[in-house]
Amino acid sequence: MAIRPPVGDPEFHSKEYWLLNKTLYGLRCSPRHWYNRFTSILWQLGLQSTPNDPCMFTGAIISNSLVSPTAPLHVDVYVDDFVFYSTNPNVEALFQSELEKHIKVDFMGDVDFFLGTAFAWQQQDNGHISVHMSQSAFNDYVSHRFGVN
């Protein structure tokens, strides 16, 4: 990909372009390049995008490990952020290890807030985990911004 040098470059010539070996953060095409790279990795891991949302992936992880869990994994992607979840914690651990073979990822633990949705996790007496999702913070922001409190 070729781009023009930044304004203020003292060595700038009007016919000069830079040839980039990889996409730089902040370029107009960067989000699309990231999406293409990330989704190709998800496809290699056995995940498919859903018919109604190209940013939501689901499927069973393909792995060379001895035991490959069969519970499905769900991944939701938004620009350069994503959340993933499964009913089986071993599937989540497998996904993390397989993904790290392709790209460097900072896993930040359980999600508390994503795309205007707050997540509240609760451990049940029977060992199951329940999650309550709320968009009250987003609703409060929008109502305050537009003066409809």
Side-chain angles (χ1 to χ4, degrees):
M1 172 176 46
I3 64 166
R4 298 196 56 99
V7 178
D9 178 8
E11 303 293 321
F12 174 74
H13 300 288
S14 62
K15 296 181 182 178
E16 178 182 2
Y17 287 86
W18 290 355
L19 179 62
L20 300 177
N21 294 327
K22 63 180 183 176
T23 303
L24 296 175
Y25 183 82
L27 294 178
R28 195 179 319 174
C29 56
S30 296
R32 184 65 173 165
H33 288 175
W34 166 249
Y35 176 80
N36 289 342
R37 180 171 180 213
F38 189 67
T39 56
S40 70
I41 293 168
L42 294 178
W43 290 331
Q44 289 175 28
L45 295 178
L47 302 176
Q48 298 293 319
S49 60
T50 60
N52 298 322
D53 188 349
C55 295
M56 181 177 222
F57 293 79
T58 188
I61 299 295
I62 296 172
S63 172
N64 293 333
S65 67
L66 297 175
V67 179
S68 184
T70 58
L73 178 82
H74 308 281
V75 180
D76 297 321
V77 180
Y78 182 77
V79 187
D80 60 352
D81 292 322
F82 66 93
V83 294
F84 61 96
Y85 46 93
S86 176
T87 57
N88 185 341
N90 294 332
V91 172
E92 294 175 356
L94 178 64
F95 175 68
Q96 286 184 14
S97 67
E98 291 295 319
L99 188 60
E100 286 178 325
K101 293 177 183 176
H102 298 276
I103 56 174
K104 182 183 180 299
V105 179
D106 292 328
F107 294 105
M108 303 172 72
D110 290 340
V111 65
D112 293 324
F113 195 78
F114 187 71
L115 299 179
T117 303
F119 293 78
W121 302 91
Q122 185 176 15
Q123 182 79 32
Q124 302 295 326
D125 294 335
N126 61 4
H128 290 101
I129 297 175
S130 66
V131 61
H132 175 77
M133 297 182 292
S134 170
Q135 289 190 310
S136 61
F138 178 74
N139 292 336
D140 291 345
Y141 165 76
V142 170
S143 63
H144 176 73
R145 180 166 186 242
F146 293 104
V148 279
N149 293 335

